[in-house]
């Protein structure tokens, strides 16, 4: 899959996930298989204002190539300045723009998945980003729209092509669906039919490599974006590598192998953060994902989330039933879910889709990649 001048194989992208896709997790996933591994989402305003935490979030390892940043913003001028900064300071090789965040505190200010409803504002943002990025490929990730009555993805896709984007990723849910319900893969097919000029990547309900192959077969998309499916399962990227190469081989680790992966993940986080207690505290949220479906008692789970030293964690991992086979029920959905009854929007947001009013800075919140 070609994204501008970048060649991506297999055609797989790790979705930016807040608090998840840091350099440690990206390294772990890269060790399993190939693809494009994107940083956590950062806001354009925080980048141009040189917020220290933002620069920590976009650190890359010496082996990371291409380096990919997901940028989020609502102001064309600020987005353009951030893109130029990325080029001039050699911060990355690829810029992805986020228009998928469904979090209420973002959409109620006109940001995230609410923004593509304002077609002219979207166009202005994309134009400034492409101009600022110069030789770097610019892509975007979006949702189908606000809700079933306000779908924006086909129009947004055409605007993206017209403004020179290198690829588009569609999370086949509306903002109202949040992370619940079922992803509408048919929308990915409609988008691909509407924008044959550039690659279209599909996102939503890919829990296994076979799901990815099925999405490509059913929609004609050029590649897939993996989000919640790899939580506690970084070896999904190895499965995807097998699958896109035509191999039927799949990874089905026993609990001992899962424990070893947990320890490796924790070690990477401690290295990145520079502190064992803080790295292990950050790892706690991953424990339940890794152990999903395995017969592991509550006390064992508790002790694994309470360790403060890697030596302690190694001892607890060694106590797991190493020969316990991979549970089939662990292949299904994981991570956040649930729908919204409605999408929070600014007053009068739906009145005029041509309105160019730029949302305030409060719309730029790095809560979720969407």
């Amino acid at each position: 899959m070609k994204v501008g001048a970048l060649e991506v194989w297999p055609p797989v992208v790790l979705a930016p996930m807040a608090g998840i896709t840091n350099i440690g997790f990206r390294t772990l996933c890269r060790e399993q298989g190939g693809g494009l591994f994107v940083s956590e989402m950062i806001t354009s305003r925080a980048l141009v204002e040189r917020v220290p935490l933002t620069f920590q979030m976009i650190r890359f390892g010496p082996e990371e190539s291409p380096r990919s940043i997901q940028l989020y913003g609502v102001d064309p001028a600020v987005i353009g300045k951030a893109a130029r900064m990325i080029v001039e300071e050699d911060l990355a090789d690829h810029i992805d723009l986020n228009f998928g965040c469904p979090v209420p505190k973002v959409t109620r200010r006109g940001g995230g998945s609410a923004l593509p409803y304002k077609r002219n504002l979207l166009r202005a943002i994309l134009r400034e980003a492409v101009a600022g990025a110069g030789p770097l490929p610019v892509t975007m990730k979006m949702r189908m729209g606000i809700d079933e009555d306000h779908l924006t993805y086909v129009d947004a896709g055409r605007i993206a092509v017209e403004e020179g984007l290198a690829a588009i990723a569609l999370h086949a849910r509306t903002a109202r669906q949040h992370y619940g319900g079922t992803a509408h893969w048919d929308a990915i097919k409609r988008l691909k039919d509407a924008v044959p000029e550039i690659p279209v990547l599909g996102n939503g309900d890919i829990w296994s490599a076979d799901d990815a192959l099925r999405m490509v077969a059913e929609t004609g998309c050029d590649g897939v974006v993996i989000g919640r499916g790899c939580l506690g399962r970084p070896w999904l990227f190895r499965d995807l590598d097998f699958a896109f190469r035509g191999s039927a081989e799949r990874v089905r680790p026993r609990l001992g192998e899962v424990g070893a992966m947990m320890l490796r993940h924790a070690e990477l986080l401690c290295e990145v953060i520079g502190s064992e207690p803080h790295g292990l505290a950050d790892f706690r949220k991953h424990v339940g994902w890794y152990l999903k479906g395995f017969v592991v008692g509550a006390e064992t789970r508790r002790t694994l989330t309470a360790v403060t030293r890697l030596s302690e964690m190694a001892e607890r991992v060694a106590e797991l039933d190493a020969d316990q086979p991979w549970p089939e029920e662990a292949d299904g959905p994981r991570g956040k879910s649930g729908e919204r009854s409605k999408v929070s929007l600014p007053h009068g947001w739906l009145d005029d889709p041509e309105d160019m009013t730029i949302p305030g800075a409060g719309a730029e919140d790095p809560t979720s990649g969407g």
Side-chain angles (χ1 to χ4, degrees):
M1 179 177 67
K2 294 220 39 159
V3 178
L6 303 178
E7 293 190 1
V8 181
W9 184 263
V12 174
V13 176
L14 168 65
M17 289 178 280
I20 304 290
T21 55
N22 53 40
I23 188 173
F25 188 71
R26 296 197 309 272
T27 297
L28 191 67
C29 293
R30 279 179 180 275
E31 292 174 349
Q32 305 303 307
L36 186 62
F37 299 85
V38 190
S39 73
E40 295 177 81
M41 185 182 77
I42 61 168
T43 70
S44 56
R45 198 174 302 274
L47 183 65
V48 300
E49 292 177 356
R50 297 187 173 275
V51 175
L53 177 60
T54 293
F55 278 82
Q56 291 179 30
M57 291 170 68
I58 59 172
R59 285 183 298 163
F60 294 97
E63 79 293 344
E64 287 197 79
S65 179
R67 301 162 301 163
S68 181
I69 284 179
Q70 191 182 68
L71 197 60
Y72 168 65
V74 297
D75 187 321
V78 178
I79 284 275
K81 185 174 181 180
R84 286 190 294 275
M85 184 175 167
I86 290 170
V87 175
E88 292 167 0
E89 300 185 20
D90 191 27
L91 299 178
D93 307 303
H94 161 239
I95 299 172
D96 185 51
L97 301 176
N98 181 283
F99 297 101
C101 181
V103 174
K105 65 180 177 180
V106 172
T107 60
R108 75 164 56 101
R109 293 177 172 86
S113 50
L115 193 142
Y117 185 76
K118 304 294 188 179
R119 276 72 163 171
N120 292 336
L121 179 58
L122 175 68
R123 185 182 294 278
I125 289 173
L126 300 185
R127 182 171 296 175
E128 288 295 323
V130 171
L136 301 190
V138 177
T139 61
M140 66 184 280
K141 185 184 178 190
M142 61 182 177
R143 286 188 172 232
M144 292 168 57
I146 293 172
D147 53 34
E148 291 291 339
D149 295 324
H150 302 90
L151 299 177
T152 56
Y153 67 101
V154 173
D155 285 348
R158 290 307 312 165
I159 292 170
V161 169
E162 292 162 7
E163 296 304 327
L165 266 69
I168 311 170
L170 176 64
H171 183 166
R173 284 181 168 86
T174 63
R176 191 195 68 77
Q177 281 186 276
H178 208 64
Y179 292 94
T182 301
H184 302 285
W185 288 6
D186 57 315
I188 300 171
K189 183 179 188 307
R190 283 196 291 272
L191 180 61
K192 181 59 190 174
D193 291 342
V195 292
E197 300 95 329
I198 61 175
V200 169
L201 295 91
N203 177 223
D205 293 353
I206 297 178
W207 311 113
S208 70
D210 296 301
D211 288 337
L213 293 182
R214 186 165 55 86
M215 175 185 279
V216 172
E218 291 181 8
T219 69
C221 66
D222 302 279
V224 297
V225 178
I226 305 298
R228 294 173 295 157
C230 68
L231 296 176
R233 284 191 310 181
W235 54 85
L236 177 56
F237 289 94
R238 203 182 327 167
D239 280 351
L240 288 159
D241 197 276
F242 289 144
F244 280 106
R245 294 181 190 278
S247 170
E249 183 177 353
R250 300 290 183 269
V251 181
R252 289 293 180 268
R254 293 181 178 273
L255 184 52
E257 297 170 88
V258 172
M261 187 71 76
M262 293 172 69
L263 188 57
R264 171 67 176 149
H265 191 169
E267 289 170 346
L268 287 167
L269 288 178
C270 291
E271 181 181 332
V272 169
I273 294 173
S275 159
E276 286 192 18
H278 290 96
L280 288 165
D282 190 67
F283 181 73
R284 289 172 188 164
K285 58 180 171 283
H286 296 275
V287 171
W289 294 325
Y290 275 108
L291 298 179
K292 180 179 178 179
F294 285 103
V295 180
V296 178
E299 180 61 18
T300 299
R301 293 172 186 267
R302 188 195 66 76
T303 57
L304 281 167
T305 58
V307 296
T308 58
R309 294 293 173 189
L310 285 170
S311 57
E312 293 178 64
M313 183 167 183
E315 291 172 2
R316 301 289 81 79
V317 165
E319 294 169 356
L320 296 172
D321 177 8
D323 292 327
Q324 189 176 148
W326 175 257
E328 292 301 322
E329 59 268 30
D331 285 332
R334 51 188 54 219
K336 62 183 109 175
S337 61
E339 298 192 8
R340 305 283 182 180
S341 58
K342 65 176 183 177
V343 180
S344 298
L345 297 169
H347 179 72
W349 185 255
L350 298 176
D351 294 347
D352 182 8
E354 309 302 321
D355 179 32
M356 278 286 290
T357 302
I358 297 171
E364 295 195 12
D365 185 290
T367 302
S368 166

